[in-house]
Amino acid sequence: MDRGGCSLSGGGGGERQASERQETGSQSGMITLEELESLSEDQILDSGNGSLEEGEIVEGEQDRLLHYWQDIARGHRVEVPRDMAEPIQQLTTNNNGTHNRETVPFTLISRKEKCGDVLYEKRNYKKAYWACITVKEETYEQSICYGFMRIMRYICQQNSLGSYLGMTLPIVTVLRTNEMHTTLSGAVTVAYYLPSQHQAQPPQPYDTGVVIEQWPATIVYTRAFTGATNETIILNEINILAELLDSPELYVTDSFIVASYTNPAAANRENEMWFFKRP
């Protein structure tokens, strides 16, 4: 496994709805916060426990959730260890419904449209703290899964507060390519924006591979896309946005972000490709 720093300034990785929420302000098989939340609504009720109070987990439910995710991950040659049972349960039940998802704040600078469709946006993200881990596994999907599982542990009690920190969206992946955008680097960085209540004093991770970084304020060009986020699709999306911008001098050409907003099992999964504006 590779460890390294991560940065929103290009040192390292929505639809219109995402922009409208903020204008004023993996990886097929990846286990994300939203997927775990949707599992609470669908899988738990379908298991015959529909009479449970919201957030309640019966004996054995933790094992069932763990086995469900082990089955999904196995198809991508990812092993979900036993100690992930509690983090998976906590994220599935949204900490008994006491936490709301928070979206990373940004200010919309401009939007390029054609025939009513948004081609791309230019946004400003303010300086903020992120928890991130850089991972290098055999495949892109494995790197995303193993990195995010360690971020999940940090979110769910393996931090200096010893408590659940809350969900934020998007979960981002910092990735690098060769000059021609035909190959992804083996190492990727998985990053989680710390909720606003923890920005002033970020809880410290117990896992020494998870680092807290203060990412500087930066400007990004973003393009929404839907569906899976495997290596082939990501490279294609990079080339699409590069062609739309048609000015390589505007952006960093070897570091990018994939931002994921929704359940990867959803038919119309919401993602964004982010390009860093050159300083």
Side-chain angles (χ1 to χ4, degrees), residues 175-194:
L175 52 92
R176 299 157 185 83
T177 72
N178 62 352
E179 186 176 352
M180 300 302 295
H181 302 159
T182 57
T183 305
L184 293 183
S185 168
V188 299
T189 297
V190 180
Y192 156 79
Y193 172 83
L194 288 165

Side-chain angles (χ1 to χ4, degrees), residues 2-278:
D2 223 7
R3 178 188 166 190
C6 52
S7 170
L8 194 61
S9 63
E15 295 275 356
R16 177 188 291 262
Q17 298 100 314
S19 303
E20 291 173 346
R21 287 195 301 266
Q22 297 298 333
E23 283 186 25
T24 58
S26 81
Q27 303 74 308
S28 178
M30 175 180 169
I31 302 173
T32 70
L33 298 172
E34 285 243 337
E35 183 152 12
L36 290 164
E37 257 200 343
S38 68
L39 181 63
S40 176
E41 298 172 2
D42 301 326
Q43 298 290 333
I44 292 179
L45 291 179
D46 290 344
S47 68
N49 297 322
S51 61
L52 295 178
E53 295 295 325
E54 182 178 0
E56 183 181 353
I57 299 292
V58 298
E59 185 178 357
E61 189 63 31
Q62 188 177 91
D63 283 343
R64 196 188 69 78
L65 294 173
L66 174 65
H67 294 154
Y68 177 85
W69 285 111
Q70 286 175 331
D71 287 343
I72 291 176
R74 198 169 292 118
H76 301 276
R77 294 186 293 160
V78 170
E79 293 299 323
V80 180
R82 174 73 197 176
D83 66 2
M84 285 301 300
E86 185 173 351
I88 289 172
Q89 176 186 315
Q90 287 187 355
L91 292 176
T92 301
T93 57
N94 194 19
N95 203 28
N96 294 325
T98 59
H99 290 261
N100 294 320
R101 294 190 303 270
E102 180 179 345
T103 305
V104 182
F106 66 83
T107 301
L108 179 66
I109 298 173
S110 62
R111 176 184 290 149
K112 177 72 171 180
E113 298 187 34
K114 183 177 181 180
C115 300
D117 293 328
V118 178
L119 299 180
Y120 62 86
E121 294 181 341
K122 187 177 181 181
R123 302 174 186 166
N124 181 46
Y125 283 86
K126 64 181 181 180
K127 179 173 65 175
Y129 284 103
W130 294 69
C132 52
I133 184 168
T134 299
V135 182
K136 184 177 182 179
E137 296 289 341
E138 183 178 350
T139 69
Y140 180 80
E141 289 82 3
Q142 288 174 334
S143 295
I144 296 302
C145 289
Y146 285 122
F148 190 72
M149 282 192 283
R150 292 174 70 175
I151 293 290
M152 284 171 63
R153 294 186 183 102
Y154 167 71
I155 296 170
C156 299
Q157 297 187 347
Q158 288 193 17
N159 57 71
S160 56
L161 294 181
S163 61
Y164 175 75
L165 301 181
M167 298 189 235
T168 62
L169 294 173
I171 294 295
V172 306
T173 304
V174 188
L175 52 92
R176 299 157 185 83
T177 72
N178 62 352
E179 186 176 352
M180 300 302 295
H181 302 159
T182 57
T183 305
L184 293 183
S185 168
V188 299
T189 297
V190 180
Y192 156 79
Y193 172 83
L194 288 165
S196 55
Q197 68 266 30
H198 299 304
Q199 283 289 324
Q201 192 170 356
Q204 295 303 301
Y206 293 158
D207 184 343
T208 57
V210 177
V211 295
I212 305 300
E213 295 277 351
Q214 187 176 50
W215 292 3
T218 192
I219 294 174
V220 298
Y221 298 95
T222 76
R223 179 181 181 273
F225 67 100
T226 59
T229 53
N230 59 44
E231 182 171 345
T232 300
I233 290 173
I234 289 170
L235 289 171
N236 184 57
E237 292 298 330
I238 288 173
N239 285 298
I240 290 174
L241 183 51
E243 185 175 348
L244 287 171
L245 292 173
D246 194 30
S247 299
E249 66 276 8
L250 292 177
Y251 57 88
V252 177
T253 57
D254 61 355
S255 297
F256 310 95
I257 277 183
V258 175
S260 299
Y261 289 86
T262 50
N263 175 1
N268 295 306
R269 182 181 179 191
E270 294 181 28
N271 313 289
E272 289 174 343
M273 179 62 63
W274 294 2
F275 281 19
F276 302 104
K277 183 180 180 296
R278 284 190 185 274

